[in-house]
Amino acid sequence: MPSTERTMHISMAITQPDSLGSWRREVSKAAEFASLDYWVKIAQIAERGKLDSLFIADAPEADMDALRTRQVPKLEPIVLLSALATQTSNIGLVGTASTSYSEPYTLARQFAALDHISGGRAGWNIVTSFLGTRNYGVPLAAQPDRYARAQEFIEVATALWDSWADDAVVVDKAAGIFVDDTKVHPINHSGAYFSVEGPLDISRSPQGHPVLVQAGASATGRDFASRHAEMIFGAAPNIESAQEFYGDMHRRIAAVGRNPDQVTILPGCSPYIGSTEEEAHRIREEALSLIDFDHGLVTLQKHMGNIDLSGLDLDESIPPDRLPADTSVLIDRQSRPQLYKDLALAPGSTLRRMIEVCLSHNGHWNLVGSPEQIADSLQEWFTNGACDGINLLPAHTPDGIEIFVDEVIPILQRRGLFRTDYEGSTLRDHLGLERPDAR
Ligand SMILES: Cc1cc2nc3c(=O)[nH]c(=O)nc-3n(C[C@H](O)[C@H](O)[C@H](O)COP(=O)(O)O)c2cc1C
């Protein structure tokens, strides 16, 4: 962020707006997951808090192991964000889409359309996907190949967004000219993965390009993010790993000739918030008491690189020989299994605690406290080189979102750490990002 007085950026993930036990809490309205009204309420609470953006994660499959006890059913991101675009006016709309299972022309026109209908609030969380192979009939490519395809995918999508000059649409009724076709050009791309002639069939959108977001954390993932991402989502259970990631990404971004200040780095943060610390702990205990440990073990095994943890004592630590030897050789994900391995090897770690971590906040930064305590912790990370803000992963809803917006945000605003109103109307305005010129 431009180094005038820095203020935090806060995005909110609304994919599974309840950590995995919380949907069973009395107050949770998770059962309304297919109603637009449910999502509009969440989006409008977030916009009331002047949050930068809403984020929808996605994986193109229904996890059969999780179907019974987890709220797996979800609306497709671009469809949901398009609907939310009509019920909100400022908040950014970031959706996940895969470069492994989509085509550049399709995604380029979908995000350009979302950017047009939202008045410039679209963002794309670029994933190479580690799930979904069975629904697309293609084997999961090795990680380097997935990122190589993603690299070309971004080049093609960007060229398509730039295939119209900003002033190509003229609508000159007298002359009978709708578009100045001298300002629209094919891209004629032919590469290892894609052959795309173009141009795009929609004029250049308000932001030029949707904001590009990425969440890879392995060496290859970080390299990709350093070249393309304007907003980076991270996963860090403690301030030390957040500072390591933040510092390393700034070095990598500078090393490829980009300005680190033009990239916003947001670790996930999953807080249990109560009006008092005691209340927050009560909510956490309630959510944890609703966890299904048998199902939790299955999920943890997957997140740790598809290892076998069966037959182990819940209240003992995981024996090191049951942990993945080298996470850098894993084909689907590398960074998250490494994060869990580090947590499993930490003193005092038990299998039960690992399952709670996995099901309640998936290894992200977890907080429990009053609004004042939550604000203090966010300020500590923000002012000590660990982040530019957070990607809020609500641990309990709707109460956790309401108390964050109505009690934590005002504290951050009083401390001059968060905006009191939106600076502009586009997501790029909120993030202080320049609008890219058509190349
Ligand atoms: C906050 C956050 C959100 C993510 N959202 C998604 C998602 O929606 N879909 C997905 O396939 N992967 C998602 N991921 C996973 C990353 O895109 C990436 O695949 C993973 O971090 C492995 O990266 P690596 O290949 O660099 O190890 C997310 C990761 C983080 C930290």
Side-chain angles (χ1 to χ4, degrees):
M1 263 315 299
S3 43
T4 52
E5 72 295 338
R6 278 174 79 225
T7 51
M8 284 184 195
H9 292 280
I10 300 178
S11 180
M12 182 172 83
I14 60 170
T15 318
Q16 257 156 350
D18 260 320
S19 71
L20 302 165
S22 296
W23 66 269
R24 298 175 61 192
R25 295 174 63 240
E26 190 60 36
V27 294
S28 171
K29 295 187 173 39
E32 301 167 20
F33 67 85
S35 83
L36 179 56
D37 204 38
Y38 170 72
W39 299 101
V40 167
K41 284 200 183 88
I42 291 175
Q44 292 177 342
I45 297 170
E47 187 162 70
R48 186 169 79 223
K50 315 293 182 204
L51 270 56
D52 292 69
S53 56
L54 298 170
F55 161 58
I56 300 185
D58 188 59
E61 73 163 38
D63 181 346
M64 293 304 288
D65 293 325
L67 214 48
R68 198 167 62 79
T69 60
R70 257 176 66 187
Q71 57 197 81
V72 167
K74 57 187 187 291
L75 294 167
E76 193 280 331
I78 296 176
V79 171
L80 177 54
L81 290 173
S82 302
L84 293 178
T86 66
Q87 305 292 323
T88 55
S89 42
N90 283 295
I91 197 161
L93 305 165
V94 178
T96 297
S98 172
T99 55
S100 293
Y101 303 125
S102 319
E103 289 295 325
Y105 198 88
T106 305
L107 279 190
R109 62 196 295 252
Q110 287 176 321
F111 279 102
L114 177 61
D115 202 44
H116 274 290
I117 67 170
S118 66
R121 295 185 281 138
W124 171 23
N125 177 36
I126 306 159
V127 298
T128 64
S129 297
F130 50 88
L131 297 168
T133 52
R134 62 201 154 118
N135 297 326
Y136 291 88
V138 285
L140 186 67
Q143 193 220 44
D145 300 332
R146 295 203 309 270
Y147 277 107
R149 177 186 161 106
Q151 169 74 33
E152 186 180 331
F153 200 116
I154 297 296
E155 285 166 21
V156 176
T158 305
L160 287 168
W161 290 319
D162 291 344
S163 61
W164 290 60
D166 283 320
D167 57 357
V169 178
V170 292
V171 192
D172 182 339
K173 292 183 179 181
I177 299 172
F178 198 95
V179 169
D180 176 349
D181 53 11
T182 67
K183 295 185 175 177
V184 182
H185 55 84
I187 68 166
N188 299 321
H189 174 89
S190 174
Y193 297 94
F194 307 108
S195 165
V196 181
E197 186 177 308
L200 204 59
D201 62 347
I202 180 76
S203 50
R204 203 153 190 265
S205 69
Q207 295 189 106
H209 304 167
V211 171
L212 299 184
V213 183
Q214 218 267 346
S218 62
T220 319
R222 293 181 185 204
D223 180 58
F224 184 89
S226 67
R227 293 175 190 289
H228 301 294
E230 295 167 302
M231 182 152 67
I232 297 175
F233 292 149
N238 52 56
I239 193 167
E240 294 75 22
S241 56
Q243 288 166 329
E244 181 279 326
F245 183 73
Y246 191 81
D248 182 53
M249 287 314 303
H250 272 220
R251 281 187 296 279
R252 286 170 183 265
I253 292 162
V256 295
R258 293 179 66 209
N259 173 359
D261 282 347
Q262 282 285 298
V263 180
T264 298
I265 299 175
L266 305 179
C269 175
S270 187
Y272 291 98
I273 316 172
S275 47
T276 64
E277 185 177 351
E278 294 65 39
E279 170 67 7
H281 280 286
R282 189 197 60 70
I283 294 170
R284 178 177 176 276
E285 292 315 314
E286 179 194 2
L288 293 183
S289 71
L290 298 167
I291 278 181
D292 175 315
F293 277 89
D294 296 339
H295 154 249
L297 184 66
V298 174
T299 303
L300 180 63
Q301 291 178 150
K302 280 188 181 171
H303 281 288
M304 295 187 79
N306 300 309
I307 59 174
D308 173 13
L309 296 171
S310 58
L312 295 177
D313 180 329
L314 269 179
D315 296 309
E316 293 295 326
S317 63
I318 299 172
D321 62 1
R322 299 289 283 268
L323 297 171
D326 176 3
T327 57
S328 71
V329 299
L330 294 173
I331 186 171
D332 53 358
R333 280 185 297 178
Q334 297 171 357
S335 51
R336 200 58 61 91
Q338 185 59 45
L339 182 155
Y340 277 109
K341 183 177 178 181
D342 297 342
L343 289 175
L345 293 170
S349 176
T350 64
L351 178 57
R352 181 187 303 279
R353 185 74 197 105
M354 291 297 297
I355 292 172
E356 288 175 350
V357 164
C358 178
L359 292 195
S360 63
H361 48 86
N362 196 8
H364 287 278
W365 181 23
N366 178 227
L367 289 174
V368 186
S370 67
E372 203 72 34
Q373 291 169 320
I374 302 295
D376 291 347
S377 299
L378 299 186
Q379 182 166 4
E380 187 211 355
W381 279 42
F382 179 65
T383 56
N384 288 286
C387 65
D388 295 312
I390 58 164
N391 182 22
L392 178 67
L393 312 167
H396 50 107
T397 71
D399 50 332
I401 299 176
E402 286 159 346
I403 196 169
F404 185 86
V405 161
D406 297 332
E407 300 193 34
V408 178
I409 291 287
I411 297 170
L412 296 173
Q413 290 168 331
R414 282 198 297 276
R415 295 180 186 181
L417 293 168
F418 192 65
R419 67 173 64 83
T420 51
D421 206 348
Y422 286 107
E423 294 82 359
S425 58
T426 72
L427 178 52
R428 286 182 180 281
D429 293 336
H430 306 338
L431 297 171
L433 292 173
E434 285 131 21
R435 181 179 184 276
D437 295 330
R439 271 177 271 186

